[in-house]
Amino acid sequence: MFDLQKLFVQLTPPATFVQPVEGRKYTLTHSDVTAKLFLDVGYVYNCKAINWKMRDEVLAEWKKDREGRLYLAGKAYVDGGEFRKEVSGLRFNLFQKEIGTAITGIVYGDWPFYYNYPALLDAPIFVHYDSTYPEYSHVFYYGTPRQYVKQISSGFRLARL
């Protein structure tokens, strides 16, 4: 269950809630101890926030497809060949189990951005699971930001878009 109280957001200048649109990057990390989520929004990923031993972050970026339509492209690092196949399988399954929480954190953490660009609430979300093992290297469709907004019913009031 997503807990808005445990989401902490940092907007890294010169990024604002209006710009950039294309190329807007999200770095979502978490604490296993406190269950807090940390979202950095900016022009670049926050590499300092990434635990390079655990590699359990979720990265995302607004990109344009060939027709010029924006979509949210996420990435989950399963492995780069450093883990046994069984460990990579566990990581893949864990990412799949938790990706909804990660996407919800990204959407809610940047809510003023969607207020400025309400059409993006209906943009597709794709997440690439990056692995050297073909069975764990996939791109999946995860709906739209609007679907993640609708999932939360914790009394948090949002402007209607």
Side-chain angles (χ1 to χ4, degrees):
M1 187 80 161
F2 183 77
D3 183 353
L4 189 59
Q5 302 285 338
K6 293 190 175 196
L7 176 63
F8 298 87
V9 181
Q10 179 169 326
L11 190 63
T12 306
T16 68
F17 287 118
V18 177
Q19 52 125 16
V21 179
E22 184 178 2
R24 186 178 196 82
K25 292 179 175 54
Y26 303 95
T27 307
L28 185 79
T29 57
H30 72 281
S31 167
D32 287 331
V33 176
T34 64
K36 291 179 180 176
L37 294 174
F38 304 95
L39 178 66
D40 291 280
V41 182
Y43 281 83
V44 296
Y45 295 117
N46 182 358
C47 294
K48 291 180 182 177
I50 296 172
N51 180 330
W52 294 97
K53 290 182 183 175
M54 295 287 292
R55 292 304 312 266
D56 55 1
E57 75 282 352
V58 173
L59 304 176
E61 176 181 1
W62 283 102
K63 294 184 175 186
K64 282 189 177 175
D65 65 16
R66 291 181 184 157
E67 287 79 35
R69 296 173 299 214
L70 285 162
Y71 67 97
L72 188 59
K75 183 176 180 181
Y77 181 86
V78 176
D79 74 85
E82 71 273 31
F83 300 121
R84 294 185 337 266
K85 190 174 186 177
E86 297 77 21
V87 173
S88 292
L90 291 171
R91 289 175 57 81
F92 176 76
N93 290 331
L94 186 59
F95 270 120
Q96 283 199 303
K97 179 181 173 206
E98 299 296 335
I99 199 68
T101 300
I103 294 170
T104 302
I106 290 169
V107 171
Y108 269 90
D110 205 15
W111 183 250
F113 175 73
Y114 293 100
Y115 188 78
N116 288 305
Y117 299 99
L120 293 181
L121 284 168
D122 298 310
I125 301 169
F126 297 97
V127 176
H128 174 230
Y129 292 84
D130 190 15
S131 175
T132 57
Y133 300 102
E135 56 267 47
Y136 306 129
S137 181
H138 296 285
V139 176
F140 293 111
Y141 170 70
Y142 282 98
T144 67
R146 186 177 307 277
Q147 292 172 262
Y148 293 87
V149 169
K150 288 181 178 180
Q151 289 179 6
I152 299 295
S153 60
S154 63
F156 181 65
R157 299 199 64 205
L158 298 171
R160 286 182 132 303
L161 296 177

